[in-house]
Amino acid sequence: MTVRYLLFRVDDRLLHGQVTLGWGSRLRPRAYLLADDRLAADPAAAALYESAVPEGVAVVILSVNALLAALDDPSARARLPRTEESILLVRTLADGVTLLRAGVSGPLVLGGLHFRDGAREVLPYAFLSAADAELIEALAREGRELVAHDLPGNERVGSEKLRDAVRRVFGRIGTDAA
Amino acid sequence: MTALLLVFVALLALGALVSLDERVFGPLRLQQPLVAATVAGALVGDARAGLLAGLVLTALWPALIPSGGNLLPSIGLGAVTAGAVAAAGGRVFTDAPGFLGSGRALALAVALAWLVALAGRETEAWLRRRNEEREARAFAALIGGDAALDRAVRHAAIDALLRGWLLVAAAACAAGILLRAFSEGGPVGASRWDLLGHALVLGALGGALVDWAPRVGRVLSRVTNVAPVSGSPLGPLAVVSQGRPRASQARLLCLDALYNPRGQQRGGIYRALAPSLSAPAREEARQFLAARSFQTHASLSGYVLGPVASAAEARTGEALEVAQALHAPVVSGVGDRLFAGAVHPALAWAGATIGLIALSLFHASAPNSGLLSLTLAAPAVVCVAGAGIAGRYWRGRSWRVGVGGEANVAAELRTRPWARWTRGADLVAALAGAVAFAVVAWNLTEFGGTLEIAFLTLGGAAGALAVRAGLGPLAQAGLVGGAVLTAAVLVAIGGGGGPWSSGR
């Protein structure tokens, strides 16, 4: 299974102004696909997110496992928005890595992970935990592409540069285990 | 010399005000190019040239995405520079009005403006870092009261004032040197020593302002720290529901004052909420906010903060959790679509179209004609008044709904009440854009001002491309500089001839 989305983005706020206005006005998606366990389990919250997009654009919300199952099942996949017209959003780096390893095409774009307790600043819009840093090292070992890019008009930080930035903050993590 | 100094002081004050508006008072919208450049041009003595510079920057502006914590070139400070330089045309420093011709002065104005805008972006990043430190200190000191945060906001405002002041001062010096260097007959009516003198005067004024900063702080404290009083959600000073103050409008105006990558708007959000919270609830809010970032849309803040302000004391933490994790991102998306994506571009297009019509109809009028002055002011009035009315309406509406609780907010958001506004604004933008193109086409055929049009097109396209391509500041400056220089050469060879250089 290999599927490619217009944009495959990690953002702890999922669907907000940078996505709908910044990327939305550039990529003109017909749908936003939100793979998030918490939102999928909360229909009232999901309904709010459905109201946050421009008119005529669809929002589909499902859990990460439900998306994985749908992508493996042709009939279920046919009911999802066309991948080449959709933006896929996940809330955590771990969810993004799960989907990446399951066959969703990269690059996985780190768009916004904001400050919370225990996280350290790697980029102004990317505050990462030690677990996130380990995942980034693991992705590099697996040869999967992870970049950082908050908005289309801003600098895109490539895999190598991002890993260097992570190492400057966290040191070298688990590289010998490769 | 006295008149010149007055113009300088007025320009620096305008730069400081625009910087304050960009950095601290986002909702006032004085930073829009059609406003800042026209006012700067008028201060120097030629509102028409200022408006034209504002039109050029307005062409660049939509390419920028004012969303979330995105660091943008400081288009407002650039506009002050552009308006002043375009209007000066060499006059300020050399007493030789119009000797550069409008096309060349405009080219120089836009090139300098873009450099100032890029410098504004870099200083903005620096200010955000300073905010991060001072906000962290203020949050740590909050146990003893909220004065530390109020003080931090005042200091942030002073930083913003000084940034605008110094960038405009630097641009004025650079413009003076360049205008002199580009003049065909050398300095007229003034020597190089005068220029050095002006630079020294500017430096001395800067030093005096730094000394004066504590007094500025006390004045600002009266503006930014108004105590909540009773009134309606649309009242001037406070948001009140059911007889209880909910948040100070003046404080809401400063939501962005302490913006920084770590906490985003949490300092402003705490200040806006604090008057409505009991002491234990305030402490709970402080602990909640200290552990994470929090951002919302200033004009729709009531949807996010209203439920927190009106929650029972025991529910403060829960209400904050819902506001930060659920309502804030949704409202941010709606707000950016509504304001940055619809209302502000529509107002800019409408203002630009009025400006183009005014320039076309009155290009041969005397600069001090009353009708011309009124017409030239119209675009700025449209931008400021329109943004003010829209912002005020949505602030009032969002707070009226928000203080009713989370269920009220959810019900309101699901009905998408902004949809009619976005459709209407999109329609206005489309109509105004069509009229603007028609006016430009008419000018092309009627006056043969192709070189100016070429300049506008080249500068606008290069700037938009540079921004959209995500190029670095130097590459952006190079692209825009190359385009305006090319256009300037074209204008110099052809001597202009379009409607906007007539009568100069």
Side-chain angles (χ1 to χ4, degrees), chain A residues 13-23 25-26 38-39 42 44-56 91 114-117 119-121 123-125 127 150-156, chain B residues 65-71 129 132 261-264 266 290-293 295 321 325-330 332-334 336-337 340-341 409-410 413-414 416 418-419 422-423 467-471 476:
Chain A
R13 294 191 294 160
L14 292 171
L15 198 52
H16 59 104
Q18 290 194 354
V19 179
T20 55
L21 184 69
W23 287 104
S25 59
R26 169 65 66 88
R38 203 187 331 166
L39 212 51
D42 185 349
L48 285 187
Y49 276 87
E50 285 162 10
S51 70
V53 296
E55 303 76 48
R91 193 190 296 270
H114 296 93
F115 170 68
R116 68 270 183 208
D117 261 351
R120 296 165 71 180
E121 180 176 349
L123 296 169
Y125 55 89
F127 287 76
D150 59 344
L151 277 161
N154 293 347
E155 184 194 8
R156 176 184 160 111
Chain B
I65 301 168
S67 173
N70 192 19
L71 265 176
R129 293 295 172 196
E132 192 171 318
R262 176 170 287 253
Q264 297 189 323
R266 67 181 174 188
R292 71 207 81 196
S293 61
Q295 185 182 18
E321 179 73 42
L326 177 59
H327 290 164
V330 171
S332 152
V334 170
D336 285 344
R337 163 76 181 116
V409 172
L413 293 182
R414 277 198 290 271
R416 301 163 73 104
W418 54 86
T422 53
R423 279 197 298 271
V467 174
R468 283 187 186 281
L471 301 177
Q476 285 188 27

Side-chain angles (χ1 to χ4, degrees), chain B residues 337-437:
Chain B
R337 163 76 181 116
L338 174 59
F339 287 93
V343 171
H344 295 155
L347 290 170
W349 269 114
T353 306
I354 293 169
L356 278 167
I357 293 171
L359 287 167
S360 302
L361 293 180
F362 300 108
H363 67 273
S365 302
N368 54 359
S369 118
L371 181 59
L372 178 65
S373 305
L374 275 178
T375 320
L376 293 178
V381 172
V382 166
C383 286
V384 171
I389 290 167
R392 202 171 172 79
Y393 171 81
W394 281 101
R395 266 200 308 281
R397 178 173 181 144
S398 70
W399 275 94
R400 274 199 305 275
V401 172
V403 293
E406 288 141 11
N408 251 16
V409 172
E412 162 101 343
L413 293 182
R414 277 198 290 271
T415 63
R416 301 163 73 104
W418 54 86
R420 267 192 296 183
W421 278 65
T422 53
R423 279 197 298 271
D426 289 347
L427 183 66
V428 168
L431 287 175
V435 174
F437 283 118

Side-chain angles (χ1 to χ4, degrees), chain B residues 180-272:
Chain B
R180 181 179 294 272
F182 290 166
S183 68
E184 291 166 358
V188 178
S191 75
R192 287 171 199 281
W193 296 107
D194 288 331
L195 189 61
L196 181 61
H198 296 154
L200 288 174
V201 169
L202 286 174
L205 282 173
L209 193 68
V210 172
D211 277 347
W212 195 56
R215 264 179 292 174
V216 176
R218 282 196 290 278
V219 174
L220 281 170
S221 76
R222 286 198 285 276
V223 177
T224 61
N225 196 24
V226 180
V229 296
S230 59
S232 75
L234 288 170
L237 292 174
V239 175
V240 171
S241 173
Q242 296 162 355
R244 189 177 154 201
R246 299 302 183 189
S248 158
Q249 284 276 21
R251 290 181 178 210
L252 285 173
L253 204 61
C254 303
L255 217 51
D256 266 327
L258 289 174
Y259 190 94
N260 64 83
R262 176 170 287 253
Q264 297 189 323
Q265 292 173 326
R266 67 181 174 188
I269 283 171
Y270 179 87
R271 283 184 82 245

Side-chain angles (χ1 to χ4, degrees), chain B residues 28-57:
Chain B
L28 295 186
R29 311 294 306 165
L30 300 177
Q31 76 269 38
Q32 292 171 100
L34 288 175
V35 182
T38 308
V39 174
L43 288 176
V44 175
D46 191 347
R48 185 159 39 187
L51 174 57
L52 184 52
L55 283 169
V56 176
L57 291 182

